[in-house]
Amino acid sequence: MNNILEQNQRIGKYRVQNLIKGGHFNETYRVVDDNDDSYFLKIFVMKRVPAKLIDEETSEVREILNCQRLVHKNIISYVESGKVSLDVGECSYLITNYFSGELLVEKIQRDGRIEFEEAVSIFKDLLEGLRYMHSLCPVVLHNDITPRNIMLPKSTAGCTEIIDMGHTSSPTGGVASFETADLDVRYCAGETFVGMYSQQSDIFSAVAVFYTMLFGHAPWDVTLDADMPRAERIKAVKKQRKEELDFSGADIEPVFCEIIRKGLAKSSLRYSTISELLSDINSRSVRPIEENDSLPNTPPQSQINQAKSNAPDNENAVNIEMKQGKGNGFADIAGMADLKQLLRTKVISVIQDKEKAARYRLTPPNGMLLYGPPGCGKTYFAEKFAEETQFNFFMVKASDIASIYVHGTQGKIAELFRKAEENQPAVLCFDEFDALVPNRSMVENPGLSGEVNEFLSQLNNCSQRGIFVIATSNRPDKIDPAVLRTGRIDRQIYVPLPDEECRREMFAHHLQGRPYDESEIVLDELVALSDGYVASDISYVVNDAASIAAYNDSPITMAILKDVIQCTKPSVNKDVLKSYDELRDIMNGIERRSTLPQVGFRTP
């Protein structure tokens, strides 16, 4: 198969120098800009990228979105990203800084063991990068910490950097949201073999890399054939991990043998945070593991379940930021007049006029489901609803309540509703709701069924506790039907693509406050050119035009906007829109008040 890019081909202001590595759906190149400064370019052929690697809200590769968030001296630096149309189809690309050092795996292959103090220094840099990733909200896991993904600087004054964010994700509790076939299982924690990825599994991998630096090979070194199936590789590694871990042949401080033992222990005994591990490294001391079988191996599933069920006392803690309902509310939302009016009549008036509500014995609905194509502003609307009502606002994603412990997620769901009740009136917004309450008839995992049951219990008449739930989803047909009955999620509302009036307001809104000539910008022409664009597309167009204008130190012009629109395809194609029309028909059958007029944007 030919390479995606050719030598000297230009992508924006970058010129391709050479291919570094390639895969089925992406390739990495060394490129230079107009000043001959070097960068890494990673390009993704969107039609080949597996669906689970794409963010459903933005239709962007999750690796790119995660790289945009990561700003730390021990993590490869994001420079920019964008989209381009090539012969292979629409592509997304990511530009990161070019690193002129060498990979840790190259140094180990060349030198064998690394001197103790140098290994400790590299290890601490690696841990600082991971600690930053784990501190983000939501947490970002690397999931692929191996010697091949650690870059060493040329000079001793430089910083070790973590590279290759192709497997980054939030914590997962059973099904990985990334490709696992290419992971080096020698550096994977035992619980990841059953789909559980957490901060602790990143810690395991980092300690395994530290061991490799000190001894010249991976812990419990085992030879794995390149063409061996993943299941066979896992089987070989699990068998080897039943043996004692060998610490002979390296000149290291004895306390670091105990640090490695604890770092590679099974999940219930392992370091729980990077900070705890760094504290032991810096103090050159470690609290000993308390069980006789402290040397790690991959235990039977029954032992994994037992370890998971022994959740710490604070496991149910829900670290979700509460926002106070302050802001412009619905005034910041372009269009959607029907939906705004429906909520003012059916919800907000009942909440704000308690005397009238008591006289008419009115109770507000428990919540509503906003569904439709990605990028149409469903989540944004939820936040603005909280501002309009002045309710406290909690934004909840699946990763926020994920847990590696049996019944851990159920406990977090209960704690979340309790926290919302303590801060009532409150809006709980559940993003990608179908991932939280999947149809139980299609789920074999009993743990997931238990989580759905917990949601059903908490949703029952939650409005009486001062809680209003807004759920958003691109796939409402996958939600358990019991969730969508009266007394739980009362209304299902389709949010289609923005109509002409709404797109006009969006362009005006996004241009507001930026340097541009009002007399030169023709909004009607922009509206005509952006037919089929979703809200996030319009935001992207204006932001990209603004960056071009800023680079030239000039106002945003109509010509710049038109050029950007011509180079930007709509996020949602016609085939996808057709599937959403069919989905809307299905959901109208579920909606008990199907005779009510459709709300949202007007469509032709």
Side-chain angles (χ1 to χ4, degrees), residues 123-407:
F123 186 36
K124 290 171 71 174
D125 275 355
L126 166 60
L127 294 177
E128 288 295 349
L130 282 177
R131 177 158 67 172
Y132 164 76
M133 294 175 68
H134 294 177
S135 71
L136 298 176
C137 185
V139 168
V140 176
L141 306 178
H142 188 275
N143 297 317
D144 191 22
I145 294 296
T146 71
R148 68 184 179 184
N149 287 332
I150 299 168
M151 189 74 82
L152 305 179
K154 267 188 175 179
S155 66
T156 56
C159 292
T160 300
E161 290 189 12
I162 302 171
I163 66 170
D164 197 343
M165 301 299 161
H167 297 82
T168 50
S169 75
S170 299
T172 60
V175 180
S177 59
F178 50 89
E179 295 293 303
T180 59
D182 60 337
L183 292 177
D184 189 337
V185 296
R186 297 175 301 168
Y187 295 91
C188 293
E191 65 269 15
T192 67
F193 300 150
V194 291
M196 295 181 292
Y197 294 82
S198 68
Q199 291 95 319
Q200 284 190 308
S201 56
D202 264 356
I203 291 172
F204 180 99
S205 300
V207 175
V209 167
F210 181 48
Y211 181 97
T212 303
M213 287 191 282
L214 296 173
F215 295 91
H217 59 79
W220 308 281
D221 196 26
V222 57
T223 301
L224 302 175
D225 294 334
D227 57 351
M228 185 182 292
R230 175 175 165 80
E232 292 298 317
R233 298 200 304 270
I234 291 174
K235 183 178 180 180
V237 167
K238 290 170 68 174
K239 179 180 179 181
Q240 194 68 20
R241 287 182 184 177
K242 294 178 180 179
E243 304 297 327
E244 293 286 326
L245 191 58
D246 184 12
F247 287 99
S248 62
D251 184 17
I252 64 174
E253 295 179 20
V255 69
F256 276 87
C257 294
E258 298 307 313
I259 289 174
I260 290 171
R261 289 177 189 272
K262 187 172 181 179
L264 297 179
K266 59 186 181 182
S267 60
S268 61
L269 303 172
R270 198 180 309 146
Y271 288 103
S272 58
T273 66
I274 297 287
S275 295
E276 182 185 351
L277 173 54
L278 280 169
S279 176
D280 280 0
I281 292 172
N282 293 329
S283 65
R284 296 303 208 258
S285 64
V286 62
R287 183 173 59 187
I289 298 175
E290 297 177 355
E291 292 192 8
N292 293 330
D293 59 343
S294 58
L295 283 178
N297 55 61
T298 304
Q301 185 63 44
S302 60
Q303 289 181 301
I304 291 177
N305 290 339
Q306 182 180 2
K308 290 189 294 177
S309 64
N310 294 329
D313 293 339
N314 64 346
E315 170 59 20
N316 289 340
V318 181
N319 298 317
I320 298 176
E321 180 185 0
M322 182 189 76
K323 295 182 180 180
Q324 294 184 338
K326 297 180 179 179
N328 298 325
F330 288 166
D332 285 341
I333 300 175
M336 304 182 80
D338 293 334
L339 178 54
K340 295 175 190 175
Q341 185 57 38
L342 173 68
L343 292 176
R344 288 192 181 103
T345 303
K346 301 290 186 179
V347 180
I348 298 174
S349 63
V350 177
I351 294 169
Q352 294 180 340
D353 193 340
K354 294 184 178 180
E355 182 179 342
K356 180 182 289 187
R359 189 165 71 251
Y360 283 89
R361 299 177 64 185
L362 300 175
T363 57
N366 281 296
M368 64 179 176
L369 171 70
L370 301 179
Y371 70 96
C376 289
K378 299 182 290 292
T379 305
Y380 181 72
F381 184 91
E383 185 174 355
K384 292 303 169 182
F385 172 85
E387 292 179 4
E388 186 75 14
T389 57
Q390 297 186 348
F391 278 21
N392 293 318
F393 180 73
F394 296 85
M395 169 57 69
V396 187
K397 296 184 178 180
S399 58
D400 295 326
I401 53 178
S403 174
I404 65 171
Y405 299 98
V406 172
H407 308 310

Side-chain angles (χ1 to χ4, degrees), residues 489-505:
I489 301 297
D490 300 275
R491 296 182 179 275
Q492 296 88 50
I493 298 170
Y494 180 69
V495 182
L497 270 64
D499 59 16
E500 292 183 358
E501 180 181 348
C502 186
R503 296 202 301 277
R504 184 180 295 104
E505 291 182 28

Side-chain angles (χ1 to χ4, degrees), residues 25-26 42-46 49 61 63-64 90-92 94:
F25 59 84
N26 64 62
K42 192 169 188 177
I43 192 161
F44 302 82
V45 181
M46 296 304 292
V49 179
V61 179
E63 178 180 351
I64 295 177
E90 183 182 11
C91 298
S92 289
L94 168 67

